[in-house]
Amino acid sequence: MTTKQELDECVAGQTVARRFLDTVAHHGDTVVLRWKQHDGAWAEQTLDELADHTARLVTAFRELGIGKGDRVALMLVNRPEFHPIDLAVLFCGATPVSIYNSSAPEQIDYLVNHCGAKVAIVEDEFVARFDKVRDQLPSLEIMVVIEPSDQTSDTILHYADLLDNEPADLADAVTIGEPDDLATIIYTSGTTGPPKGVMLTNYNIVWTLESISRSMKAQTDLTELTGFRHVSYLPMAHVMERLLGHYYLVEFATQVTCCPDTRQVAAFAAEVHPHLFIGVPRVWEKLHAGVTAAMSADPDKAKAFEDGLDAARPIAAKIRKGTATQEEIETYEFLDSVAFQPVKQLIGLDEARICISGAAPLQADVMDWFQTIGVPLSEGYGMSETTAVLSWSHDAKPGHVGRAAEGVEMKLGEDGEVLARGGNMFTGYLHAPDKTDETKDADGWVHTGDIGEIDDDGYLRIVDRKKEIIVTAGGKNISPANLEAALKSIPLVGQACAVGDQKPFVTALVVLDPDAARTWATEHDLHGDDATVSSMADNPDVIAEIEQGLVEVMEPFNNAESVKKVKVLGDEWLPDTDLLTPTSKLKRRGILSTFANEIAALYDR
């Protein structure tokens, strides 16, 4: 296990910009960016071309007065221009700050003022939101619009015009940055109050990249990630996408395919066949449900596939442990070629080398399904305050989020809270020293707010968020995440939220899975309006089947903590709304408020 001191010595004096120049020197002709143009044709850019655009933007930004310590707000979809913009800001000694694209004018007002952004670079569609609060943004001097438009003035510029500048000397520009300078500020989702600005330095980013590199080399046969394909679809305002979809490119010359619409991620994956693929549990659940629904159209094929899964499951487990016999390996390879490979090709994961689920617990049966068909799925754990990474193990253990990353110390507090220390721990919250002191103690331990368990092999299991533990009227402490994971194992259920704080017993809201619901409708000869998901949520037979499933999945829980009643909902909860964060974490306060009447009815009857 690498120590923090060893990593500190390795990254001493380094910045993100310096690492970028090193990567360009070694891999300049490597294609690192791909995107679809308006006509649907693919376009691409090499590392040398990215460096050229970065250098031209450095000249432009300097002319706009961007310098050491300034902040630049970015409100962009996942597109190629993000990468040279972000890098050019760093080469000017300034800090790029991404804003979630769902941000309303009042949220833009808060974020831009809080970080004191001098320049904002935005999509055309977001300009109107800035305009509504522009007179309330005293620090904002210039806006840059990405696409050509009629919106031009002394304070609104076009991206293409900035690229017309002569390129700056990046080797000279890189000297302005220092390891302790802020590389970015990540704003939390604000589910429990105003968003906090997580300050991450160049040191934090570079240290984390070095830790990841060593972790991967220690756990896999991968010696380098150059050219590794990745579909970038999570918001760049989220620390995980910023790490995997941007800083990986900077450090490893990975190939990033920009997916500007999260609804298209499955289609992009099917075309790109990524080597590295990440997703929150809902992404993996929907992929699994989609395949299952497609299979159900041909009962004979579905049965043959299930039989193949049953035969392969124990062999796949042995292969992962390295204990399979040659005969077993050959049997698995046959099943893979005739049954699993076509499925993996269909969803674009036939060439995947590393797949990670994060942000919430993944159902054990879903992970088992992917691992059995040969998709190397594992779970990871981290947060903005830990530069996205705290634990991960390629050798996944169901229900666990891996062991501490290289150089990271991890332990449990007296109440079971997960504490961590390492070079990836944030500097603090912007303008909030009191909040910083609540999260990071004098000895450098970050208090994650998560309750966990660490087994004898060092694998971490997250029990739940400390602040989200349900305390019933009878004083019973209950983990909603465990209950919700169990509820989502009911075939018709796609999403769930357990309720019971200060209540006599636990209930839950469950949302029908659209794919599973369509399959159920076909199997039960429902047509027209009766087959819509919203109608099915009120269908007595659907409700009865879910209630029967409830009895089965609650068997492992004791009487005091098991869910007694559920309310079935038809409309899927969407990310980046009042109900879910951009990475599909539950916004419990929003859910409890939106469905207050439905919850009250569960306790009235």
Side-chain angles (χ1 to χ4, degrees):
M1 179 73 175
T2 308
T3 66
K4 176 181 180 295
Q5 182 179 355
E6 289 173 324
L7 286 177
D8 284 344
E9 293 172 356
C10 180
V11 304
Q14 294 293 301
T15 63
V16 172
R18 287 184 184 277
R19 301 286 275 224
F20 175 67
L21 289 187
D22 288 343
T23 306
V24 173
H26 289 92
H27 305 287
D29 60 352
T30 300
V31 172
V32 291
L33 286 172
R34 296 181 74 246
W35 66 95
K36 278 193 173 182
Q37 302 177 108
H38 293 303
D39 62 0
W42 286 101
E44 60 186 34
Q45 190 174 80
T46 66
L47 203 53
D48 280 336
E49 291 168 332
L50 171 57
D52 177 69
H53 283 206
T54 300
R56 294 174 185 277
L57 291 176
V58 170
T59 300
F61 290 165
R62 285 172 174 172
E63 291 179 355
L64 295 179
I66 297 174
K68 187 82 169 179
D70 287 331
R71 312 272 163 73
V72 177
L74 311 179
M75 195 169 177
L76 306 170
V77 298
N78 299 57
R79 58 186 303 148
E81 292 86 351
F82 168 86
H83 302 275
I85 290 170
D86 193 271
L87 285 164
V89 173
L90 292 180
F91 274 101
C92 289
T95 303
V97 183
S98 291
I99 295 175
Y100 281 112
N101 298 336
S102 60
S103 299
E106 59 271 19
Q107 293 170 311
I108 292 171
D109 180 356
Y110 174 83
L111 295 170
V112 171
N113 279 317
H114 190 263
C115 73
K118 190 173 185 177
V119 173
I121 304 176
V122 303
E123 301 279 344
D124 294 11
E125 61 185 291
F126 303 143
V127 172
R129 298 188 213 170
F130 274 81
D131 285 343
K132 289 183 179 179
V133 293
R134 187 64 186 273
D135 60 352
Q136 301 170 39
L137 309 175
S139 67
L140 191 63
E141 299 175 3
I142 298 289
M143 287 184 62
V144 177
V145 181
I146 296 293
E147 298 285 356
S149 72
D150 296 331
Q151 301 183 78
T152 306
S153 69
D154 291 340
T155 58
I156 297 183
L157 307 176
H158 288 153
Y159 178 79
D161 294 334
L162 302 186
L163 286 181
D164 284 340
N165 284 275
E166 288 296 314
D169 182 347
L170 294 184
D172 176 66
V174 76
T175 61
I176 194 173
E178 300 292 340
D180 290 338
D181 291 344
L182 294 183
T184 192
I185 299 170
I186 299 289
Y187 278 94
T188 60
S189 57
T191 57
T192 58
K196 298 188 290 289
V198 177
M199 297 187 289
L200 299 177
T201 64
N202 279 276
Y203 162 75
N204 291 144
I205 303 299
V206 173
W207 193 97
T208 301
L209 290 168
E210 187 65 34
S211 170
I212 288 169
S213 177
R214 296 188 182 211
S215 293
M216 287 188 175
K217 288 177 181 177
Q219 299 182 44
T220 72
D221 58 358
L222 298 171
T223 56
E224 63 175 39
L225 298 180
T226 304
F228 235 53
R229 295 191 295 272
H230 167 69
V231 178
S232 172
Y233 70 97
L234 292 173
M236 282 298 182
H238 190 275
V239 69
M240 181 56 78
E241 190 63 82
R242 204 166 234 288
L243 179 67
L244 299 184
H246 179 56
Y247 297 131
Y248 265 38
L249 181 160
V250 168
E251 176 77 1
F252 306 118
T254 53
Q255 185 182 106
V256 174
T257 296
C258 304
C259 176
D261 185 347
T262 56
R263 293 171 296 182
Q264 295 298 314
V265 63
F268 269 65
E271 282 194 69
V272 173
H273 297 270
H275 298 115
L276 170 67
F277 190 75
I278 60 169
V280 297
R282 188 63 184 140
V283 170
W284 299 105
E285 291 160 3
K286 287 179 76 69
L287 285 173
H288 171 257
V291 171
T292 303
M295 287 282 185
S296 66
D298 186 334
D300 291 337
K301 184 179 291 186
K303 185 178 186 307
F305 185 79
E306 286 298 323
D307 288 344
L309 279 174
D310 290 340
R313 187 169 284 111
I315 301 175
K318 284 186 175 182
I319 290 174
R320 290 195 299 273
K321 294 178 180 178
T323 60
T325 66
Q326 184 58 37
E327 182 180 358
E328 288 173 325
I329 292 173
E330 290 173 0
T331 298
Y332 181 85
E333 289 175 345
F334 170 75
L335 292 170
D336 182 49
S337 64
V338 299
F340 306 150
Q341 195 67 14
V343 170
K344 289 185 287 187
Q345 289 174 344
L346 178 68
I347 60 179
L349 296 181
D350 52 311
E351 297 183 42
R353 301 293 302 281
I354 297 175
C355 293
I356 302 174
S357 178
L362 178 67
Q363 298 174 52
D365 61 331
V366 173
M367 174 177 277
D368 176 74
W369 185 87
F370 278 105
Q371 290 182 336
T372 299
I373 69 170
V375 173
L377 180 58
S378 55
E379 289 189 85
Y381 170 63
M383 51 200 293
S384 300
E385 291 85 347
T386 66
T387 320
V389 176
L390 203 161
S391 67
W392 171 78
S393 292
H394 187 61
D395 183 13
K397 180 179 289 189
H400 296 72
V401 291
R403 290 174 286 214
E406 294 289 320
V408 174
E409 295 178 79
M410 188 168 63
K411 67 178 183 179
L412 301 180
E414 292 183 1
D415 59 355
E417 182 178 8
V418 180
L419 309 180
R421 185 165 64 177
N424 52 334
M425 305 303 151
F426 76 135
T427 299
Y429 296 117
L430 182 66
H431 307 318
D434 55 333
K435 296 292 184 182
T436 299
D437 291 342
E438 291 175 7
T439 303
K440 187 177 184 181
D441 65 29
D443 294 323
W445 290 99
V446 166
H447 296 238
T448 65
D450 289 312
I451 301 297
E453 298 172 351
I454 300 175
D455 69 13
D456 293 340
D457 296 321
Y459 280 81
L460 172 66
R461 186 176 82 87
I462 299 299
V463 175
D464 218 319
R465 288 292 295 168
K466 190 173 179 178
K467 294 180 179 179
E468 292 184 355
I469 295 292
I470 291 173
V471 182
T472 66
K476 177 69 175 178
N477 286 9
I478 298 170
S479 163
N482 291 335
L483 294 173
E484 288 152 5
L487 290 167
K488 289 191 292 182
S489 68
I490 300 172
L492 277 168
V493 175
Q495 296 163 298
C497 178
V499 180
D501 205 45
Q502 300 304 308
K503 301 290 186 181
F505 54 86
V506 181
T507 62
L509 302 171
V510 296
V511 184
L512 290 178
D513 181 275
D515 293 320
R518 281 191 288 271
T519 300
W520 196 94
T522 300
E523 293 173 346
H524 291 77
D525 202 28
L526 296 182
H527 305 284
D529 291 343
D530 291 337
T532 65
V533 178
S534 56
S535 295
M536 290 180 65
D538 295 322
N539 185 311
D541 292 333
V542 171
I543 295 172
E545 185 162 327
I546 290 176
E547 289 179 341
Q548 177 57 41
L550 174 66
V551 174
E552 295 172 3
V553 301
M554 286 298 114
E555 285 183 0
F557 300 92
N558 65 43
N559 182 63
E561 62 188 3
S562 63
V563 174
K564 301 297 190 297
K565 298 179 182 179
V566 296
K567 169 61 179 177
V568 181
L569 304 173
D571 294 331
E572 186 174 15
W573 298 339
L574 300 177
D576 218 358
T577 63
D578 290 340
L579 306 179
L580 301 179
T581 70
T583 53
S584 295
K585 291 180 182 177
L586 298 179
K587 289 186 176 179
R588 295 187 187 275
R589 187 165 55 183
I591 292 172
L592 295 179
S593 173
T594 301
F595 299 103
N597 292 336
E598 288 84 351
I599 293 169
L602 286 170
Y603 290 97
D604 287 342
R605 57 186 171 88

